[in-house]
Amino acid sequence: MKNNFIKQTTIYLSVLALCVGQVSCSKLDEQVFGSKSVVVASAGGSSAANLAAVYEATNGLIGQGNFFAFQEHSTDELLGPTRGTDWDDFGTWRKIHLHAWDGAHNQLYDTWNGINSGLYKATSLVEQGAAADKPAAQFLRAFMATQVMDLFGQVPYRAAADGPDVIPAVKKRADAFDWIMTDVDAAIAGLPSNAGTVGASRYATKEAAQFLKARLLLNKAVYKQDPANPAGFTAASFAAADMNTIITLVDAISANANFKIGATPATYWDNFKWDNYAKSTELIYTRGGDNAKQLGGTAGTNWATGMGTHYNQTFSGWNGFTTTSDFYNSFDAVDGRRQSDLTDFTEVTGFNAGFLAGQQYKYDSKGVKIKVNDRSGSPLIFTPDVSLFFSTEAKGIRTMKYPLLYDKKDLNNTQPNDFVFFRYADALLMKAEAILRGGTATKGETALSIVNKLRARAGVTAATSVALSDMLAERGRELYLEAVRRDDMIRFGVFNNPVVERSAKSDGSRVVLPIPNQAVSSNPNLKQNFGY
Amino acid sequence: MNFKIVKSTFVGLLLGLLVVNAQAQNKTVTGKVLDAKDGSPIAAASVVVKGASVGTKTTGDGSFAITIPSTVTKLVISSVGYSSREVDASGNVSVSLNQTSNQLNEVVVVGYGTKKVKDATGSVVSLGEKSFNKGVIASPEELLQGRTAGVNVTSNSGEPGGAINVTIRGTSSVRSNNNPLYVVDGVPLYGGGMTGSGLTVEGSTTARNPLSFINPNDIENISILKDASSAAIYGARGANGVVLITTKSGKGKPSLTFNMTSSVATTAARYDLASPEEFMHGINKTLADAGIDVTGVGGNDKGFNTNWQDQVFQTAVSNSYNLAWGYSNAKTSLKLNGSYDNQEGIVRTQGLKRVTFGLKYANQLTSRLKLDVTVNQSQVNNSYAQVTNDAGYQGSLIGAMIGANPTFPVYNPNGTWFDNQDGNRNPVAILEGYKDNDTYNKLLTNISLSYKVTNELTYKLIYGIENGATERYSFADPRLGSSYSQGTINVQGINYVGSELLNHGRAVRQNLNQNSSVIEHTLNYDKTFKNGNSLQALAAFSYQKTTDYYRGQQAWGATGTSSMKTDYNAYTGGKTSTTGDSTQVELQSYFSRVNYTMKDKYIFSALARIDGSSKLSAGHKYGTFPAFGFKWRVLEEKFAQKTLGKIFSNFDARLNYGSTGNQEFPAYSSLALAQSQLNGSVNVITNSNPNLKWETTTTTGAGIDFTMFNGRLNGTVDYFNKSTQDLLFLISYPQPAASADRWVNLPGNVVNKGWEFSLDYQLVRPAYKGAFGWDVAYNMSFLNNNVTGFGSTVVNTGQVNGQGLSGAYAQTIRDGSPLFTFVMPTFLRFDAYGNGVYSNGAKDMLQGSALPNFNAGLTNSFSYKKLTASVFFNAVTGFYVYNNTANALLLKGSLKTAHNVTRDVIYSIENSINPGNVSSRFLEKGDYVRLANASIAYAVTVKPGSFIKGLNLTLSGQNLALFTKYSGLDPEVNVDHSINGVPSRGYDYTATPRARTITFGINARF
């Protein structure tokens, strides 16, 4: 009996010992698996990979919402009308066109986070990356910081080595401008020139940095303005020295023989259509579309088509945004930038490039051109009149800036187009404007000659004279939907003026966006902008 | 039996009796007092001499020894909750007492042990089979719905096996999961299961219920630990309450039980959609009003009369079979259990098939060593219809069904799906063009050894394994056009060559493997002292490790495009690279509990649990969760017997306090993680928080339990105040940073206060066996939820889905409001043009909350001869439901694009270009009363000694009637509309409707 007890106890105790041994107290360290790894503060991983991540962050600037929406919907170029049950979207588009945004606007927060996340990645690379990557990282950081400064009027800064509980310091707009300039100058000095190879514009180049510097200087008056007194600008706001620097920078870009302006309207569309990365002679800084060979993931451009085209068209879009009648009417009827038929595109889809107005067409399965109907079965005729609050399906003229690539057989599309950030024509127009603002003409190029060079390419008659007041309209015609309209209207002092479907002048404080509420509450160093 | 009076006279007469007894010759009688029902010892039962007041009490193991005069012939044995018995006063007696009041002596399973209700200091509710809901039960929570105060069970939709929300005493966590911890036979479940998120062929589908693998027939008892003083034994995971599920054990002689149920279910309610005539009238009038020349508009009227609801819904037939065999003897007990369920959904193609096998084995290996083994193996096959929760313009299956043009045919004359090429989708094509199934295998094994070191001290080792593996295959038919499969022609936003849905088809494969192992060592000390006081103490260590592995992949291009291929390997056109993710979480705990019962009058309990989780940051991994409970059995006091004792036969007061934790947030939230992308970039994806610590919930509560009217009325009243602090939340992280947010502990509190009442009343006590009896059980709870100390932080959640509603939300979490408060402009009326008019310039206004503040359940049970019947009503009030279905689909403007609507919309004065803004127009009170369950059972007479030992026939109905003013199908709905992981409540958006089910069941014992 006793023996038995001892035996059993022994067995039991050994089992117990085994179990206890199996699970000695754990340290509870977390195990991370697969594609994920714990970031170690000092090491930044492979530097090439990180450069890819920074390039990839610029994809956030591409898309119908956020950055692009604030740059375009706030102007006379674009609006997002509510169409009955469609497109109310919580008033998100309407509020931008009406300048009725506040710190709670949903796209504001996404825009802030998106650009700042790119800014952080760029800073990590500048401060901790490989020396070879530094000039590119500085260009990218300047590019990101410019957007933050431009939209929000303040730029927060987090050093790469900062611990997780560090609250970022905030640079006011005027200080941020100087800080960005340092990066830009370093980038210009350190970056190679654009070699003119296919896809070269997808990387940071000397010309891209020069372009960025020119754009910053052109808008310097805006950035150096007293935020509490956002009035218009006088001629004196633009320093002749800065204008001459712009002219020098643009001339430096022009010195690269890879950049030139074509002679026909078709060459204008070479800058945007599906093979723009190979055909265009103007691309200075871009981001590649489908399957593009570049660092980081690709950015599609089908949104640029779909945001306007109707459900029943051959690119079945989402029937949303339209341009304003005033903007559409600012073009000469023969302007190739307004409407051009494109080979391999128009006869496949029924679309022209440019603006889509009037009866819309497509091709049926037998290749016969037919009228497109709306969803209630009546012919789809895009009309210039549009109401921000109450529009029916066909109201408003649509845009077709990035014609997609179609497979003729099954009409499926791909979107290999590069999205254009910086373009040579813009550089030339900056030079023209700098001359008109007190800079000295060089190389025999005058404001008029530059403008007429672009007008000739567009197929419109030459202007006989160009005043500063003509430049805004000309920039609009050349650069619409290139995400510069808001900056242009602010610089020309007309941003707050009424436009189609915004009948009242908006408050001067609207030239900067509010800091999103969530950001203000996360960082005590951020003070809400004047007027909000 | 008025034990109190006996006891009160006892002390006074003691001295005199001793004097009398001193002169007589004495004898000693020993014995044991046991519960007649389960043979368990009854401690502290009183043993007195008949006709006198001399006596003693039984010890903890029910034994007694009394020395009495040799002249005494009878002893009277009594105990609270039992009818007293007279026994001969000689030798060694064994007495079995019958329970009079089940409630007090019912043994409830509490964490790491059992207790009698009368000894429980906390708020614990125990439900046995009798109290379970009847009918088609896909998951254990459905057994409980409405049956207990303070426990709110909401099924998200009518989908078989769909997710169910269980909230105990309100919603306490702002973020993360509010579901209770489930413990099956002592092993905390890791839970999980295929969620349906991730890759899908058609948008995001509703989450699945992680408990659907349990065979509801195999459940003996469900205990709910509502308050922190009981739940704190589960520490870090007990913040939302704990549900303890005990499966059946073998009992008595070998017996075989066979259960079979067969049921028929139909939609309890359908949409009141316009007929073809009304629809065409509506569409023509709407177009004419919008200035469109109707004569030129063709194509809307195809001349058919299709009832699309008939095409989508079906009468669902479900069958379930359960076979169990078991026995027990002095040393061993064994229960084997097998079941097969085949549940059809009321939406065609939805269904759940389940096979389960259960084994429960216990063996007293030696007098000191006991082995327990539990094995539950199940396989669940779910088949899904494309009912998604975030559909836009084209709707998911239900949305497409509502909007489908009733003049369109279902099929073309050649048998293919009719498609009007207008972007609107044929609901039947959605049903038939997708095949979406998963197989969920689950093994839950639990082995424990307990060893009696001494009579008082027991050591127990528990080792539990939970293995879950889900494989889900989804296929889309190559004949579906580009308007199907999320309306895209590409895969996850990328145009792979040949990946268009049309002519290529698409397939998705997903695997989710979840493994969890638990090891626990417990030491239990149980001592009853000679004076009747008793002490139980527990010390334990527990360790749990869980790993998750998810993998998903899409493929396209099956060879031969004339039909849907349902073999993943046939999709050879191309595959996306596999996305995979793994997580591992470890939990380690030390805990201890002490219960002390003094004079059967004062019961104290104290416990502390120290929990460590790998998810929290270094230095903050451990949290301590203490709890205290006190119970005062008032009627044991002499002074109370003369007052309270006149009204009550039992009266207990309870006080409890405790804190519990919450760690239901994603693993790795405290770390900065980088992820390498397929394109070669390495992105930092999270921001670290080295200070992340436990979210804790502190509950203070008080309650009384009473019995009146000779045991016919039992009642409980509870008050609680539950406050959750250090709320775990994902908030904005100061930019610039790698990502937008990080997990923090917010300074705010979520406070839940409430009252719970439950009453059981034997309205008609059967005068004799078989006479008419009527029991009424009623429970109700009042709950007040509020967010405090939240500062100016405003978190928006509850996105509103549908065309034209991108970016819209309607719920907010902010200081001073209950969780899930709706926020939106207040709709006043339509103006003369049929455009909406809103108050305050259409500014957002705070509206009501989606959380109910009142829940009640009323059960009436009847018995008469061999018939028993019960009727159960459930009422929930004080909450709002956002009718997203109406907001997105039931608008006048829908007619303009030839979408059908309900009949009231056809005749409404709304303008067809009035936008369907989010507003209080679509926010409705959800108050409802439901005749949730009714059943009638008949016990067939079986001759003694025949092959069949018992035969019961049951007819039951579920969801038989609904009384509500809510305009949608059912206000008990909760479609997930979370934003950035912040949960939402109370959204109704094209969910699978709830069924009305009639079930016939046979239960036979052999």
Side-chain angles (χ1 to χ4, degrees):
Chain A
M1 176 73 187
K2 196 184 172 193
N3 235 347
N4 212 2
F5 175 75
I6 291 167
K7 190 175 148 199
Q8 278 165 351
T9 308
T10 315
I11 291 170
Y12 153 71
L13 285 173
S14 9
V15 170
L16 174 66
L18 202 70
C19 293
V20 175
Q22 228 173 31
V23 201
S24 54
C25 295
S26 167
K27 285 184 178 163
L28 301 177
D29 290 334
E30 280 192 284
Q31 305 287 319
V32 180
F33 302 94
S35 59
K36 290 177 184 159
S37 56
V38 179
V39 176
V40 182
S42 56
S46 131
S47 135
N50 279 339
L51 186 57
V54 186
Y55 274 112
E56 194 171 273
T58 62
N59 289 356
L61 302 173
I62 300 166
Q64 68 181 14
N66 300 338
F67 167 77
F68 182 83
F70 285 113
Q71 294 290 12
E72 295 290 349
H73 283 253
S74 61
T75 72
D76 57 356
E77 278 187 4
L78 212 58
L79 65 108
T82 296
R83 303 174 185 278
T85 57
D86 302 346
W87 284 106
D88 185 65
D89 291 359
F90 225 39
T92 187
W93 311 110
R94 183 166 67 234
K95 284 174 188 163
I96 300 179
H97 194 67
L98 292 174
H99 292 185
W101 51 67
D102 58 21
H105 194 279
N106 62 329
Q107 297 193 47
L108 205 57
Y109 185 50
D110 293 343
T111 307
W112 171 264
N113 285 338
I115 304 176
N116 271 306
S117 137
L119 179 57
Y120 174 72
K121 288 171 185 164
T123 295
S124 312
L125 198 57
V126 170
E127 296 177 358
Q128 293 180 337
D133 289 337
K134 195 168 176 185
Q138 280 178 300
F139 166 75
L140 288 163
R141 178 161 77 169
F143 180 65
M144 290 295 187
T146 299
Q147 314 310 333
V148 180
M149 171 183 71
D150 179 66
L151 290 169
F152 296 101
Q154 309 176 36
V155 181
Y157 168 74
R158 182 189 293 280
D162 281 349
D165 290 323
V166 169
I167 301 291
V170 174
K171 296 179 197 298
K172 296 211 181 318
R173 208 181 201 183
D175 303 335
F177 178 88
D178 299 337
W179 177 61
I180 293 168
M181 275 298 183
T182 325
D183 268 345
V184 173
D185 285 332
I188 293 171
L191 284 168
S193 278
N194 183 310
T197 50
V198 171
S201 61
R202 295 165 186 160
Y203 296 88
T205 57
K206 193 181 288 294
E207 289 81 3
Q210 285 163 337
F211 184 104
L212 178 58
K213 185 173 180 184
R215 181 177 275 182
L216 282 160
L217 288 171
L218 190 59
N219 290 293
K220 185 176 171 186
V222 177
Y223 301 140
K224 290 286 186 178
Q225 191 181 30
D226 174 10
N229 187 20
F233 307 98
T234 62
S237 310
F238 298 86
D242 291 335
M243 297 304 115
N244 284 328
T245 310
I246 293 168
I247 292 163
T248 311
L249 287 162
V250 175
D251 287 348
I253 296 169
S254 297
N256 184 333
N258 294 314
F259 298 112
K260 42 187 173 288
I261 301 294
T264 62
T267 62
Y268 176 80
W269 292 107
D270 281 343
N271 295 315
F272 307 105
K273 70 190 182 70
W274 55 92
D275 51 1
N276 60 346
Y277 53 88
K279 293 280 169 62
S280 169
T281 57
E282 292 183 36
L283 303 185
I284 294 176
Y285 183 51
T286 65
R287 192 74 195 143
D290 270 7
N291 308 319
K293 285 201 175 65
Q294 62 185 356
L295 285 177
T298 54
T301 43
N302 69 358
W303 58 272
T305 299
M307 67 185 187
T309 61
H310 189 271
Y311 316 103
N312 295 347
Q313 294 189 278
T314 289
F315 182 88
S316 174
W318 32 98
N319 200 40
F321 309 147
T322 78
T323 191
T324 67
S325 51
D326 282 358
F327 191 77
Y328 180 70
N329 292 331
S330 75
F331 286 83
D332 192 297
V334 299
D335 195 324
R337 296 170 298 193
R338 189 176 90 164
Q339 262 148 345
S340 278
D341 286 350
L342 295 186
T343 310
D344 293 334
F345 180 69
T346 304
E347 74 274 22
V348 177
T349 62
F351 290 126
N352 55 269
F355 292 97
L356 307 175
Q359 174 65 51
Q360 296 300 299
Y361 295 93
K362 63 180 174 184
Y363 291 88
D364 70 10
S365 55
K366 297 186 189 77
V368 179
K369 186 176 181 178
I370 53 167
K371 285 183 177 178
V372 179
N373 288 339
D374 70 13
R375 287 186 295 178
S376 51
S378 44
L380 182 70
I381 301 167
F382 290 145
T383 59
D385 59 317
V386 66
S387 153
L388 197 54
F389 287 88
F390 301 105
S391 278
T392 50
E393 271 177 45
K395 297 290 184 190
I397 289 167
R398 317 304 162 85
T399 61
M400 177 61 68
K401 183 90 181 198
Y402 282 92
L404 303 177
L405 176 61
Y406 282 83
D407 178 324
K408 287 180 192 168
K409 200 170 112 274
D410 60 8
L411 289 183
N412 282 318
N413 67 76
T414 46
Q415 34 179 332
N417 322 45
D418 272 25
F419 182 81
V420 181
F421 289 124
F422 297 161
R423 185 159 69 86
Y424 183 48
D426 189 356
L428 291 178
L429 284 170
M430 288 197 284
K431 177 176 176 181
E433 190 179 330
I435 295 169
L436 290 174
R437 290 191 187 276
T440 309
T442 55
K443 290 173 51 189
E445 285 177 333
T446 63
L448 185 64
S449 79
I450 288 170
V451 166
N452 279 338
K453 189 176 193 175
L454 297 174
R455 287 178 68 86
R457 191 261 299 268
V460 281
T461 51
T464 50
S465 65
V466 171
L468 191 55
S469 56
D470 300 321
M471 282 306 298
L472 179 65
E474 198 57 50
R475 282 184 66 85
R477 287 187 287 268
E478 179 68 26
L479 303 170
Y480 67 92
L481 298 188
E482 292 182 46
V484 290
R485 189 63 175 168
R486 177 179 155 276
D487 291 1
D488 288 352
M489 292 185 85
I490 292 171
R491 187 173 69 251
F492 281 88
V494 298
F495 181 70
N496 302 110
N497 290 356
V499 295
V500 171
E501 290 297 297
R502 184 178 73 239
S503 54
K505 201 172 188 319
S506 69
D507 190 81
S509 61
R510 303 297 112 166
V511 297
V512 286
L513 298 173
I515 306 290
N517 290 345
Q518 297 97 319
V520 172
S521 51
S522 74
N523 184 345
N525 297 329
L526 280 168
K527 301 284 179 267
Q528 189 52 280
N529 285 324
F530 171 77
Y532 292 100
Chain B
M1 170 66 208
N2 200 330
F3 167 71
K4 275 77 194 180
I5 294 166
V6 173
K7 195 191 164 209
S8 66
T9 49
F10 165 72
V11 181
L13 293 172
L14 183 62
L15 192 63
L17 283 167
L18 284 174
V19 174
V20 172
N21 287 339
Q23 297 168 348
Q25 191 144 20
N26 287 346
K27 66 179 175 185
T28 298
V29 180
T30 58
K32 205 160 190 181
V33 182
L34 303 169
D35 187 315
K37 194 178 166 199
D38 56 9
S40 66
I42 301 173
S46 105
V47 180
V48 290
V49 173
K50 194 190 175 189
S53 291
V54 68
T56 184
K57 286 198 172 190
T58 56
T59 57
D61 62 351
S63 58
F64 67 90
I66 185 169
T67 305
I68 47 173
S70 51
T71 53
V72 172
T73 56
K74 296 280 184 191
L75 290 174
V76 179
I77 319 285
S78 64
S79 181
V80 173
Y82 293 89
S83 47
S84 56
R85 271 189 68 180
E86 276 183 25
V87 291
D88 290 337
S90 61
N92 191 345
V93 295
S94 179
V95 192
S96 293
L97 296 188
N98 285 309
Q99 294 183 15
T100 52
S101 154
N102 284 328
Q103 305 237 331
L104 280 182
N105 281 288
E106 196 175 299
V107 172
V108 293
V109 180
V110 295
Y112 302 93
T114 58
K115 266 186 187 174
K116 285 188 176 172
V117 168
K118 70 182 172 94
D119 296 330
T121 54
S123 189
V124 181
V125 177
S126 177
L127 288 178
E129 248 180 306
K130 271 189 180 172
S131 316
F132 289 161
N133 287 320
K134 308 283 188 299
V136 177
I137 304 290
S139 185
E141 307 95 317
E142 294 173 36
L143 299 168
L144 300 174
Q145 187 162 24
R147 301 287 179 164
T148 43
V151 180
N152 188 15
V153 180
T154 311
S155 45
N156 290 353
S157 76
E159 190 182 2
I164 292 180
N165 271 63
V166 176
T167 49
I168 296 174
R169 290 188 163 176
T171 307
S172 54
S173 188
V174 178
R175 163 80 207 207
S176 72
N177 165 353
N178 276 293
N179 277 324
L181 170 69
Y182 293 97
V183 179
V184 178
D185 290 324
V187 177
L189 274 195
Y190 171 53
M194 181 52 79
T195 60
S197 58
L199 294 173
T200 52
V201 276
E202 256 290 310
S204 152
T205 50
T206 319
R208 307 302 295 174
N209 185 332
L211 286 188
S212 64
F213 75 95
I214 295 175
N215 170 13
N217 268 308
D218 192 29
I219 295 177
E220 179 169 86
N221 178 284
I222 300 179
S223 264
I224 301 162
L225 311 181
K226 294 199 286 188
D227 71 312
S229 78
S230 353
I233 195 72
Y234 288 102
R237 303 172 68 191
N240 302 313
V242 181
V243 175
L244 305 169
I245 295 173
T246 308
T247 60
K248 290 176 181 167
S249 311
K251 270 179 195 153
K253 287 178 184 165
S255 75
L256 185 69
T257 313
F258 175 69
N259 269 308
M260 193 196 96
T261 65
S262 216
S263 76
V264 179
T266 52
T267 44
R270 289 190 178 193
Y271 294 97
D272 183 24
L273 296 176
S275 68
E277 296 72 29
E278 290 167 317
F279 172 70
M280 286 314 301
H281 161 77
I283 205 168
N284 288 331
K285 180 159 189 323
T286 307
L287 290 178
D289 289 350
I292 294 166
D293 181 9
V294 186
T295 51
V297 175
N300 282 328
D301 189 353
K302 291 279 188 281
F304 289 83
N305 181 357
T306 303
N307 183 331
W308 290 104
Q309 299 197 81
D310 284 350
Q311 295 295 326
V312 170
F313 299 132
Q314 65 179 355
T315 299
V317 177
S318 301
N319 291 300
S320 127
Y321 310 90
N322 187 67
L323 194 62
W325 180 81
Y327 75 93
S328 70
N329 58 32
K331 287 212 151 169
T332 60
S333 78
L334 176 66
K335 180 86 172 182
L336 296 171
N337 195 307
S339 76
Y340 173 72
D341 277 61
N342 186 351
Q343 296 182 17
E344 280 182 358
I346 51 171
V347 169
R348 279 171 62 197
T349 76
Q350 276 183 352
L352 179 153
K353 286 187 186 134
R354 174 174 54 203
V355 182
T356 69
F357 168 75
L359 176 153
K360 198 166 186 180
Y361 175 71
N363 192 335
Q364 192 73 45
L365 298 173
T366 71
S367 60
R368 294 189 173 271
L369 189 63
K370 191 181 175 209
L371 169 74
D372 281 283
V373 179
T374 308
V375 178
N376 283 295
Q377 168 78 58
S378 66
Q379 184 175 80
V380 182
N381 291 283
N382 289 299
S383 84
Y384 300 84
Q386 305 304 310
V387 178
T388 60
N389 55 19
D390 57 354
Y393 170 67
Q394 294 172 316
S396 68
L397 175 62
I398 306 290
M401 175 200 78
I402 292 170
N405 184 325
T407 73
F408 285 177
V410 179
Y411 299 105
N412 293 314
N414 66 3
T416 54
W417 299 303
F418 177 80
D419 182 355
N420 200 43
Q421 300 291 333
D422 58 0
N424 296 326
R425 310 191 302 172
N426 181 336
V428 172
I430 300 178
L431 271 176
E432 296 175 351
Y434 293 97
K435 194 165 169 62
D436 193 355
N437 290 295
D438 70 25
T439 302
Y440 180 38
N441 282 301
K442 182 101 164 186
L443 173 68
L444 187 67
T445 303
N446 170 11
I447 300 170
S448 79
L449 274 172
S450 55
Y451 180 72
K452 263 191 139 167
V453 183
T454 69
N455 283 340
E456 287 82 28
L457 188 66
T458 309
Y459 164 83
K460 190 171 183 181
L461 168 78
I462 301 173
Y463 184 60
I465 303 170
E466 184 184 355
N467 276 327
T470 313
E471 186 157 57
R472 180 167 176 173
Y473 285 105
S474 316
F475 302 99
D477 195 297
R479 292 165 294 184
L480 291 169
S482 63
S483 61
Y484 292 85
S485 202
Q486 308 177 68
T488 57
I489 58 155
N490 50 38
V491 176
Q492 303 288 307
I494 300 169
N495 286 307
Y496 295 96
V497 176
S499 70
E500 313 85 67
L501 182 58
L502 186 65
N503 297 331
H504 298 88
R506 203 164 294 167
V508 179
R509 178 176 65 189
Q510 296 178 89
N511 289 82
L512 181 67
N513 291 316
Q514 298 174 308
N515 294 309
S516 165
S517 60
V518 183
I519 189 152
E520 288 186 338
H521 305 273
T522 63
L523 264 179
N524 252 304
Y525 181 78
D526 191 337
K527 168 93 177 165
T528 300
F529 301 101
K530 280 188 182 145
N531 58 9
N533 292 349
S534 66
L535 172 76
Q536 289 104 38
L538 165 78
F541 169 78
S542 167
Y543 172 84
Q544 183 165 19
K545 180 162 96 175
T546 57
T547 55
D548 262 37
Y549 174 63
Y550 171 82
R551 192 178 60 151
Q553 192 170 37
Q554 291 214 36
W556 56 88
T559 47
T561 54
S562 57
S563 65
M564 178 166 35
K565 294 276 187 290
T566 53
D567 169 12
Y568 183 80
N569 294 322
Y571 290 77
T572 53
K575 284 180 172 63
T576 57
S577 40
T578 309
T579 56
D581 212 353
S582 295
T583 53
Q584 177 178 308
V585 177
E586 290 175 290
L587 270 173
Q588 180 167 272
S589 316
Y590 308 87
F591 51 100
S592 177
R593 177 175 61 196
V594 175
N595 290 315
Y596 187 71
T597 305
M598 205 171 123
K599 298 181 178 169
D600 206 23
K601 185 156 59 175
Y602 309 114
I603 301 155
F604 303 91
S605 79
L607 69 88
R609 178 159 174 146
I610 298 167
D611 265 312
S613 167
S614 62
K615 284 196 214 175
L616 295 152
S617 25
H620 299 274
K621 289 196 186 290
Y622 287 90
T624 305
F625 305 98
F628 307 97
F630 171 65
K631 185 174 200 166
W632 179 29
R633 308 202 57 216
V634 182
L635 290 193
E636 298 290 323
E637 302 285 1
K638 221 193 302 179
F639 67 85
Q641 287 166 8
K642 289 173 188 156
T643 50
L644 280 177
K646 295 210 161 70
I647 308 166
F648 299 101
S649 49
N650 183 60
F651 193 95
D652 301 337
R654 285 180 280 107
L655 281 176
N656 55 66
Y657 164 87
S659 76
T660 45
N662 186 353
Q663 56 130 27
E664 293 300 322
F665 61 94
Y668 314 128
S669 296
S670 72
L671 301 174
L673 287 189
Q675 185 163 34
S676 48
Q677 313 288 315
L678 294 168
N679 56 48
S681 64
V682 175
N683 286 340
V684 179
I685 52 169
T686 56
N687 299 309
S688 69
N689 182 355
N691 301 312
L692 203 63
K693 61 180 178 189
W694 295 96
E695 172 180 306
T696 50
T697 298
T698 307
T699 309
T700 321
I704 52 170
D705 304 311
F706 58 87
T707 306
M708 293 168 76
F709 307 139
N710 219 2
R712 281 170 65 181
L713 178 69
N714 279 289
T716 296
V717 179
D718 268 296
Y719 170 79
F720 65 90
N721 184 333
K722 182 169 156 185
S723 174
T724 303
Q725 57 270 324
D726 297 329
L727 301 162
L728 284 167
F729 210 85
L730 191 65
I731 66 159
S732 301
Y733 182 60
Q735 296 296 319
S739 67
D741 29 41
R742 72 166 175 173
W743 284 89
V744 298
N745 295 94
L746 276 189
N749 284 347
V750 175
V751 180
N752 284 282
K753 291 178 194 173
W755 288 91
E756 293 162 358
F757 299 85
S758 67
L759 292 171
D760 285 289
Y761 188 48
Q762 273 187 307
L763 196 61
V764 178
R765 206 176 230 183
Y768 51 90
K769 195 170 190 289
F772 179 69
W774 182 2
D775 287 3
V776 181
Y778 179 69
N779 73 74
M780 63 178 176
S781 52
F782 299 86
L783 182 71
N784 180 312
N785 178 289
N786 202 10
V787 176
T788 64
F790 220 54
S792 60
T793 308
V794 173
V795 178
N796 296 318
T797 184
Q799 64 177 332
V800 179
N801 287 114
Q803 178 77 344
L805 290 161
S806 304
Y809 60 85
Q811 263 177 356
T812 181
I813 295 170
R814 62 175 76 194
D815 198 49
S817 292
L819 286 178
F820 310 126
T821 293
F822 286 103
V823 61
M824 60 190 73
T826 303
F827 175 80
L828 299 176
R829 60 178 186 278
F830 291 117
D831 67 12
Y833 304 101
N835 291 325
V837 180
Y838 305 91
S839 74
N840 263 339
K843 284 218 165 60
D844 276 352
M845 311 288 283
L846 288 180
Q847 315 277 351
S849 163
L851 294 175
N853 56 27
F854 178 78
N855 277 271
L858 173 68
T859 310
N860 279 284
S861 311
F862 308 94
S863 61
Y864 179 66
K865 294 191 173 165
K866 296 194 172 277
L867 278 175
T868 53
S870 90
V871 181
F872 167 58
F873 286 92
N874 182 206
V876 181
T877 67
F879 70 107
Y880 286 82
V881 178
Y882 194 75
N883 193 340
N884 193 167
T885 307
N887 190 175
L889 301 170
L890 306 179
L891 301 167
K892 200 56 165 285
S894 300
L895 280 168
K896 203 154 53 67
T897 51
H899 283 80
N900 203 5
V901 290
T902 50
R903 292 171 60 234
D904 56 318
V905 177
I906 301 263
Y907 303 106
S908 93
I909 59 159
E910 185 184 6
N911 184 328
S912 69
I913 54 169
N914 179 50
N917 315 37
V918 172
S919 77
S920 63
R921 179 184 166 194
F922 306 106
L923 185 66
E924 301 181 46
K925 282 192 171 172
D927 301 359
Y928 71 87
V929 175
R930 190 191 304 277
L931 171 49
N933 207 300
S935 68
I936 182 160
Y938 179 73
V940 178
T941 312
V942 286
K943 278 183 199 155
S946 64
F947 172 62
I948 293 185
K949 302 279 188 298
L951 181 63
N952 283 286
L953 307 177
T954 313
L955 186 66
S956 63
Q958 287 160 278
N959 190 21
L960 294 171
L962 174 69
F963 309 94
T964 182
K965 286 183 178 164
Y966 177 65
S967 73
L969 296 186
D970 196 319
E972 186 197 326
V973 62
N974 181 32
V975 174
D976 177 18
H977 278 185
S978 56
I979 294 180
N980 200 12
V982 180
S984 67
R985 277 303 281 272
Y987 278 74
D988 183 2
Y989 189 45
T990 61
T992 301
R994 188 155 285 111
R996 173 166 301 147
T997 310
I998 306 295
T999 307
F1000 174 69
I1002 298 175
N1003 175 294
R1005 272 178 299 116
F1006 303 96

